[in-house]
Amino acid sequence: MVMTEKLKLGIAGLGRGFTVMLPTLSLHPKLDVIAAVDTRPEARVQFETDFGGAAYDTIEAMCSDADIDAVYVTTPHQLHAEHTVIAAKMGKHILVEKPMAITLEDCTRMIDATNAAGVYLLVGHSHSYDIPILEAHRLIASGDYGSPRLITGLNFTDFVYRPRRAEELDPSQGGGVVFSQGAHQIDIARLLGGGMVKTVYATTGDYDRNRPTQGAYTAFLKFADGTVANLTYSGYARFDTDEFTNWRTESGAAKDPKNYGSARRALASVKDPTAEAILKASRAYGGSEGTVKPDEAPRDRHHEHFGLFLVSCTGADIRPLPNGVQIYADDRVDFHPLPAPRIPRAEVIDELYAAVIEGKTPLHDGQWARATLEVCSAIIKSANGGHEIPLNYQVSPKDIL
Ligand SMILES: NC(=O)c1ccc[n+]([C@@H]2O[C@H](COP(=O)([O-])OP(=O)(O)OC[C@H]3O[C@@H](n4cnc5c(N)ncnc54)[C@H](O)[C@@H]3O)[C@@H](O)[C@H]2O)c1
């Protein structure tokens, strides 16, 4: 029997992002999660119980474990650069959560540090890893439907009313929807549109004075080849774009629309930001209501999605869906079904594994993610100044098809 070499992973940050990846990290057959770091003792205890690995309280201590091949950095946005640089200098490959960082300078620092150390840097999870998005990208790249011209992206969620740490709502610290959620929507639009955004014109919205933050944006992206993208996001928990996917959540699970308004209702009893941060931590890994490692894949899952995407090409409209890709041609509608995922988000670990163990160039590398972050920053600059913003760090997607 041929034994597959496993990738040995250390986790930096055992919070919500880690919890969302828990099924992937527990069940992916090419992965061994052997260590973790978190400043919360209860998360470290839970990790040692669930994974049997070592849990540390500093990233330096964790990275001194020579067995770790790669570190998944899922600490808060503002720590991504510092933790990536430390882990890279200690010889670890990096998978860092979106957004890559909150400034372009930090993104460049991360790219330079990983280049200097000779390690891979991947940024994800982002919904541009989703199989239906990659399939839409493949169909567009085939040329069978002509060239992409107009990309429409719409996502309406309850982001603003989910329990948060204070800085997650503070735009000066990367809070609000532009960095957290734009990192997904822009990554998808750039992938489907060829990557090379030339200019950005945008507004942001702050519509609830009891919960001040950037809770919405609408952005107009012009690509170098003349393709345009209209991207709108609203996190104000009213209209819900999951209606467009026959009520599938972002993670591909079935959603009951009868729970309308539940995020606002749950938050209504929370008195202040400290109580809110405690509520968030109680739901986090190791918290009083926290999650434990699953031993089987979730059932009845479709692929993940990030709201409506429609790519109007010269020959057809192409629409990724949680269970396939729909093509609206001149005289008929074709549906390309995609089998349900066996392990959610396996494609993130597949890309990391292919890079670290097999030496394959990743699509979602540092330059790619810096270009997405540049669009996020340009949305904020354009909204503040009222101008169209030219871009400098854009790159085309690497050919992984
Ligand atoms: N891709 C996704 O679907 C997704 C989902 C949620 C979060 N995220 C990303 O994950 C990152 C973390 O967000 P979150 O919602 O999990 O936050 P969180 O507060 O739930 O988790 C952060 C964790 O990091 C720990 N931590 C803080 N400082 C640390 C330090 N110096 N060293 C070690 N551990 C430390 C905290 O104790 C906490 O457990 C963000 O960048 C966010 O964008 C991604």
Side-chain angles (χ1 to χ4, degrees), residues 231-283:
L231 304 180
T232 293
Y233 188 99
S234 169
Y236 283 100
R238 292 187 180 114
F239 176 67
D240 180 349
T241 26
D242 289 344
E243 193 171 331
F244 293 156
T245 57
N246 207 13
W247 297 112
R248 287 280 156 181
T249 64
E250 184 176 335
S251 65
K255 183 179 219 170
D256 185 351
K258 288 206 276 306
N259 291 333
Y260 185 86
S262 56
R264 275 175 198 273
R265 278 195 298 282
L267 206 59
S269 58
V270 175
K271 295 285 171 267
D272 57 39
T274 309
E276 188 173 334
I278 291 170
L279 174 63
K280 176 166 180 170
S282 77
R283 292 181 182 179

Side-chain angles (χ1 to χ4, degrees), residues 15-17 38 40 77 80 97-98 125 165 280 345:
R16 171 86 192 134
D38 202 289
R40 289 182 303 118
H77 304 350
H80 289 181
E97 262 297 344
K98 62 79 211 167
H125 161 263
R165 286 175 274 108
K280 176 166 180 170
R345 297 190 175 181

Side-chain angles (χ1 to χ4, degrees), residues 145-212:
Y145 305 99
S147 312
R149 298 286 78 194
L150 166 65
I151 299 171
T152 305
L154 282 182
N155 205 4
F156 285 65
T157 73
D158 59 7
F159 180 95
V160 172
Y161 300 98
R162 296 175 200 157
R164 300 282 172 203
R165 286 175 274 108
E167 71 261 35
E168 290 181 275
L169 298 173
D170 176 1
S172 71
Q173 298 190 68
V177 299
V178 177
F179 284 104
S180 265
Q181 301 292 279
H184 291 296
Q185 201 179 36
I186 293 158
D187 229 40
I188 296 170
R190 288 189 53 248
L191 182 63
L192 300 180
M196 303 296 294
V197 182
K198 200 168 132 198
T199 64
V200 175
Y201 186 72
T203 60
T204 55
D206 179 358
Y207 307 141
D208 180 351
R209 63 192 164 123
N210 295 318
R211 204 156 168 78

